[in-house]
Amino acid sequence: MKKIGAQIFIDCLLKEGVDTIFGFPGGAVLPIYDVLYDAPLNHILVRHEQGAVHMADGYARASGKPGVVVVTSGPGATNTVTGIATAYMDSIPMVVFTGQVPTALIGNDAFQEADIVGITRPCTKHNYLVKSLEELPRIVKEAFYIATTGRPGPVLVDIPKDVLMAFADVKHPEKITLESYQPNYKGHPGQIKKAIDMIMASKRPVVYAGGGVILSNASDELQTFITKLGIPTTTTLMGLGAFPGTHPLFMGMLGMHGTYCANMAVTNTDCLIAIGARFDDRVTGKIDEFAPFAGIIHVDIDPTSISKNVKVDIPIVGDVKNVLKELIKGIPGPKGVKEFKKNLEEWHAQVTGWENTHKLSYKQDPKGKIKPQYVIEKLYEATKGDAIVTTEVGQNQMWAAQFFKYDKARTFLTSGGLGTMGFGFPAAIGAQIAFPNKTVIGIAGDGSLQMNIQELATAVQYKLPIKIAILNNMVLGMVRQWQEFFYDKRYSHTCISVAPDFVKLAEAYGAVGLRAKTIEEVEKVIKEAMSIKDRPVLMDFKVDQFEDVYPMVPTGQPLNKMLLV
Amino acid sequence: MRHTISILVSNEFGVLSRISGLFSGRGFNIESLSVAETLDAKISRMTIVTRGDDKVIEQINKQLNKLINVIKVTDFTDEEHIERELALIKVTSNPESRAEILSIVDIFRAKVVDVSPRSYTVEITGDEEKINAMTELLRPFGIKEIVKTGRIAMARSPKQK
Ligand SMILES: Cc1ncc(C[n+]2csc(CCOP(=O)(O)OP(=O)(O)O)c2C)c(N)n1
């Protein structure tokens, strides 16, 4: 039977198991919106296309399912770019559909034409321009396949309006094969054996786990592996939650704002086991002095990650979950493990020593201004950690990483690679839509939040009980901190005290606004916010403007040269 | 060090810009690039000459392989292979110099493909050394223009035992 292109498109989505899409209409996608009018799909109407992409991203990070976005051509498409680049840097599975001007007009500078395939080529895993209705089902299927397999990532599909309006009787492919795309899932057995040998011979091992563990749904395997051997563990920002934050073997995050313990352990380890992590410069500090005494094992599904920044001794290309299973199988019997653990005693003592010398800390004067870290701790206490936390970018992000403990994967959602201000709030909306009954907290800076504040309308429209906690320091805090440390306290253009009254703003949108100016008010505000179940709450915490994030490894310094409180 | 890399890609629109974008976006350099269809019209071959230390070349290979449209990447550097390039050289000529130019052309087994009262256009095929050697010999006469195809390469068939 012949069907209109837009209907075939929606059929393709349904066949992929899509139930939720984030979108914003416009001329080029009118045919799709006409079909959506009575399609069995949950469409979330956003207020800005960037918001749609971050929502789909938050949805994907929280649920593991690919996020789906539909926007119109031209400005609709270009508004998605920051969101796509954010997802690309963090390897988040997502498919973005953009409308395009009719095929005959492409290249003519037609109204609302933008070469979005050209624009997004470097920030998508792959992208397509659909040239005929006949190829649409195959391309949609390939798009989802590519987005969700191997190292995941965003895929963009640009669909001209005439394709959406054509009629055809098309077959949906059951299977697709891509000759040139075959990710390698199984680690090489020889390499796995070598890795086990290196680990078992080590006396000061460290596991350094990243976001890849979460993407591969391998946190159970990771935990089994680590606890069997008793290896001290650190994670990257993206890896928080991959290993329980409250576990005695967890040393905290490493890197620029990592814990003293994690950074010292990585500097002194003789065997660094990197799992689903990519040696980002925010993690390694000065690269030549990173883990100088260590043999390095690196497990990653993406061969380009291996030996890109740091020379690796034993690379294992494969899916983290599969490789961890093999590593666990390779662990010697009880006698070998016992001996190994005995050899680690000295190392554990040293790690504990570091743990106790410089714990993450701050000073809360009971009569003074609210410290932002205090707010995070109280949020943790109020939820007992049972929440999905999203962050914006800056100091708020680092304090959320340091002072909230994440015991489960997919509960800490943050823009790690691109560091996109404006990510956290829409990501919280996406997470809440994926998990309507969970507590979702968006930890925000007053600067970042204003980058996508318009999505309050979306959150109100869908009655989402998101808790936004603004650590309101009236400055672009992280930039101010760098100016304080490295630019002689010349606070150039980082003061944003001209800001809306966030409580009134929340109310204007139909959300709830609450404010805490004193320490006593913090817990009261949190308690009240947690009791609201039918709409978003914005908590405005007036915090100390001059609080800094510690520890800090200044750029270009090795990890053990930290500025400490 | 210089490497000649051959890339088989699916013959789709936009592939060239994916590859060149990868090089420019990651700061890899391209000394020359040539593209044409293979025997299979669905597949094209690109030959890229690039430069870099081992680490850079390793990244180039891996990054190319990561592109969805790339089917196969071969680095010819450590393999027995044949390389060729074609150049068109327009050289100033006058009655006094003509004979000498023609003899150079002859020695290099090149060809004169266009003649005008004031110039010869010479076509030469060969590896880079040969083309450079001839260019240097022609230079004193006054080279007006050079156009080169960029290098192409093919692995040598294994010798019979
Ligand atoms: C879109 C974008 N623009 C600029 C930056 C640079 N930047 C990084 S942190 C920061 C300050 C963020 O301020 P705020 O949201 O108030 O958070 P705080 O650091 O005060 O917690 C800025 C401007 C960025 N990361 N993203």
Side-chain angles (χ1 to χ4, degrees):
Chain A
M1 197 184 72
K2 281 197 173 183
K3 285 188 186 170
I4 190 165
Q7 180 64 55
I8 292 170
F9 168 68
I10 298 293
D11 292 348
C12 291
L13 295 188
L14 293 171
K15 277 193 189 302
E16 291 302 318
V18 173
D19 53 20
T20 303
I21 60 183
F22 301 88
F24 199 78
V29 286
L30 269 170
I32 294 180
Y33 274 82
D34 189 53
V35 177
L36 274 175
Y37 199 53
D38 35 28
L41 266 174
N42 185 17
H43 176 276
I44 306 297
L45 177 65
V46 303
R47 298 301 185 270
H48 186 299
E49 290 88 350
Q50 185 187 350
V53 184
H54 292 324
M55 286 178 210
D57 182 325
Y59 177 91
R61 289 182 204 234
S63 70
K65 294 191 280 185
V68 181
V69 176
V70 175
V71 299
T72 193
S73 67
T78 54
N79 270 350
T80 64
V81 173
T82 301
I84 294 173
T86 303
Y88 182 66
M89 288 293 271
D90 290 343
S91 309
I92 304 304
M94 173 190 292
V95 184
V96 177
F97 296 97
T98 51
Q100 182 53 282
V101 301
T103 332
L105 291 181
I106 291 179
N108 283 4
D109 299 323
F111 177 63
Q112 294 195 328
E113 178 182 0
D115 174 14
I116 197 64
V117 169
I119 291 170
T120 59
R121 213 169 266 137
C123 62
T124 50
K125 185 169 171 189
H126 196 55
N127 61 16
Y128 295 90
L129 171 64
V130 180
K131 294 228 198 95
S132 72
L133 182 51
E134 283 63 35
E135 61 179 20
L136 181 68
R138 174 186 57 83
I139 288 178
V140 174
K141 198 158 183 62
E142 282 183 14
F144 278 90
Y145 176 65
I146 291 170
T148 54
T149 51
R151 179 178 181 172
V155 175
L156 180 138
V157 181
D158 197 22
I159 316 177
K161 191 172 184 182
D162 56 321
V163 170
L164 293 170
M165 294 175 70
F167 282 84
D169 184 4
V170 297
K171 271 215 267 315
H172 294 267
E174 287 308 319
K175 249 182 46 196
I176 40 157
T177 43
L178 285 166
E179 188 189 356
S180 53
Y181 174 70
Q182 269 139 12
N184 180 14
Y185 292 107
K186 289 247 179 307
H188 189 279
Q191 295 293 92
I192 290 173
K193 170 94 186 38
K194 275 199 225 159
I196 289 284
D197 291 347
M198 187 196 267
I199 296 166
M200 297 314 289
S202 70
K203 304 227 158 36
R204 305 191 306 277
V206 166
V207 168
Y208 146 51
V213 177
I214 296 170
L215 292 167
S216 158
N217 296 315
S219 27
D220 287 349
E221 288 78 3
L222 181 72
Q223 201 177 333
T224 307
F225 175 72
I226 289 168
T227 47
K228 275 203 165 180
L229 292 174
I231 302 177
T233 297
T234 177
T235 74
T236 64
L237 180 71
M238 292 301 296
L240 288 172
F243 186 74
T246 52
H247 197 286
L249 287 169
F250 187 58
M251 301 183 288
M253 175 173 84
L254 84 165
M256 182 174 273
H257 294 297
T259 62
Y260 178 77
C261 180
N263 284 344
M264 292 307 284
V266 166
T267 306
N268 289 283
T269 178
D270 63 351
C271 175
L272 185 69
I273 310 157
I275 308 180
R278 61 186 178 86
F279 300 88
D280 176 88
D281 53 281
R282 282 290 188 270
V283 158
T284 61
K286 187 178 183 189
I287 200 99
D288 317 326
E289 291 178 41
F290 177 72
F293 311 112
I296 301 181
I297 298 163
H298 188 188
V299 184
D300 203 298
I301 195 155
D302 181 359
T304 66
S305 286
I306 285 169
S307 291
K308 180 168 66 181
N309 304 328
V310 167
K311 182 103 191 64
V312 169
D313 300 287
I314 305 178
I316 306 175
V317 176
D319 178 44
V320 164
K321 195 181 182 84
N322 281 335
V323 173
L324 274 169
K325 280 186 184 157
E326 293 306 313
L327 284 171
I328 293 166
K329 274 192 219 156
I331 295 176
K335 219 176 120 227
V337 170
K338 202 167 156 209
E339 199 187 308
F340 174 75
K341 285 191 169 170
K342 187 143 181 35
N343 286 337
L344 254 54
E345 276 169 16
E346 216 174 296
W347 178 232
H348 277 291
Q350 195 169 14
V351 168
T352 312
W354 285 322
E355 216 155 61
N356 293 332
T357 26
H358 295 283
K359 283 189 190 309
L360 289 173
S361 69
Y362 65 96
K363 282 198 195 69
Q364 179 65 72
D365 172 355
K367 293 215 177 51
K369 296 204 172 103
I370 305 171
K371 293 287 181 182
Q373 301 95 323
Y374 178 78
V375 175
I376 309 271
E377 283 191 340
K378 290 296 154 191
L379 285 167
Y380 181 67
E381 283 171 21
T383 55
K384 303 186 187 65
D386 184 16
I388 298 175
V389 173
T390 75
T391 80
E392 295 292 349
V393 170
Q395 295 181 314
N396 63 86
Q397 180 182 33
M398 293 302 127
W399 287 319
Q402 293 177 332
F403 289 91
F404 203 99
K405 305 277 169 276
Y406 304 93
D407 277 341
K408 293 214 165 66
R410 303 190 181 281
T411 59
F412 177 69
L413 319 182
T414 197
S415 168
L418 200 66
T420 307
M421 288 172 71
F423 166 83
F425 175 39
I429 295 180
Q432 187 79 79
I433 286 166
F435 294 101
N437 299 319
K438 279 210 173 154
T439 304
V440 177
I441 304 174
I443 292 173
D446 46 318
S448 301
L449 182 67
Q450 291 184 69
M451 286 211 170
N452 274 315
I453 190 79
Q454 76 287 345
E455 300 307 331
L456 258 177
T458 310
V460 169
Q461 178 174 344
Y462 296 96
K463 304 190 168 55
L464 304 173
I466 301 162
K467 326 288 178 216
I468 303 298
I470 311 175
L471 306 180
N472 189 351
N473 52 13
M474 302 207 288
V475 283
L476 300 169
M478 187 55 95
V479 183
R480 187 209 58 76
Q481 177 172 342
W482 283 56
Q483 290 172 333
E484 177 188 340
F485 287 11
F486 312 117
Y487 291 88
D488 239 358
K489 301 195 179 169
R490 287 160 52 83
Y491 296 125
S492 176
H493 301 279
T494 42
C495 178
I496 48 167
S497 56
V498 176
D501 177 328
F502 286 107
V503 171
K504 283 193 192 152
L505 184 79
E507 286 162 1
Y509 273 104
V512 176
L514 304 169
R515 177 169 294 129
K517 286 190 194 156
T518 62
I519 294 154
E520 296 78 57
E521 286 167 341
V522 171
E523 280 181 87
K524 268 209 325 252
V525 160
I526 292 175
K527 191 157 178 243
E528 190 176 344
M530 292 301 163
S531 72
I532 294 163
K533 305 280 182 217
D534 60 346
R535 71 195 105 158
V537 192
L538 233 158
M539 295 172 270
D540 184 18
F541 296 101
K542 295 282 193 192
V543 300
D544 186 355
Q545 186 159 71
F546 288 102
E547 190 63 18
D548 291 314
V549 179
Y550 286 107
M552 177 171 191
V553 181
T555 14
Q557 294 288 326
L559 285 189
N560 59 346
K561 295 276 171 349
M562 284 163 270
L563 308 175
L564 296 158
V565 202
Chain B
M1 176 167 159
R2 193 193 279 179
H3 288 246
T4 305
I5 295 172
S6 164
I7 312 158
L8 288 178
V9 297
S10 53
N11 192 359
E12 282 168 38
F13 95 113
V15 175
L16 176 60
S17 88
R18 277 183 213 284
I19 305 245
S20 61
L22 175 88
F23 274 75
S24 62
R26 295 192 178 265
F28 305 145
N29 83 358
I30 296 183
E31 284 193 4
S32 79
L33 183 158
S34 79
V35 198
E37 243 175 45
T38 61
L39 274 179
D40 179 348
K42 293 202 292 295
I43 296 176
S44 295
R45 180 187 299 280
M46 294 190 186
T47 310
I48 293 185
V49 179
T50 183
R51 217 177 248 286
D53 58 23
D54 289 353
K55 198 174 151 201
V56 169
I57 298 295
E58 183 183 332
Q59 268 298 311
I60 291 177
N61 272 299
K62 288 175 172 176
Q63 293 286 356
L64 284 169
N65 269 306
K66 191 169 159 180
L67 292 177
I68 308 288
N69 295 134
V70 168
I71 299 163
K72 189 165 192 277
V73 181
T74 318
D75 184 347
F76 278 124
T77 312
D78 297 325
E79 253 186 67
E80 283 284 309
H81 68 286
I82 307 155
E83 279 187 12
R84 288 292 179 270
E85 188 169 14
L86 185 149
L88 294 173
I89 307 171
K90 191 176 284 177
V91 58
T92 309
S93 65
N94 50 42
E96 298 85 72
S97 64
R98 267 186 204 137
E100 201 175 336
I101 293 175
L102 284 177
S103 82
I104 293 171
V105 165
D106 208 36
I107 292 166
F108 281 90
R109 277 180 283 162
K111 269 199 299 221
V112 173
V113 290
D114 191 37
V115 185
S116 79
R118 290 205 185 81
S119 72
Y120 277 147
T121 300
V122 180
E123 172 195 314
I124 176 168
T125 329
D127 57 17
E128 189 181 35
E129 244 172 65
K130 178 175 166 188
I131 292 176
N132 283 349
M134 170 144 135
T135 311
E136 285 322 305
L137 286 176
L138 292 179
R139 199 180 293 283
F141 301 99
I143 293 178
K144 296 180 166 200
E145 202 181 344
I146 286 193
V147 180
K148 293 187 194 175
T149 55
R151 252 190 274 175
I152 55 169
M154 189 182 264
R156 282 188 192 277
S157 308
K159 297 273 181 297
Q160 226 118 54
K161 293 224 167 97

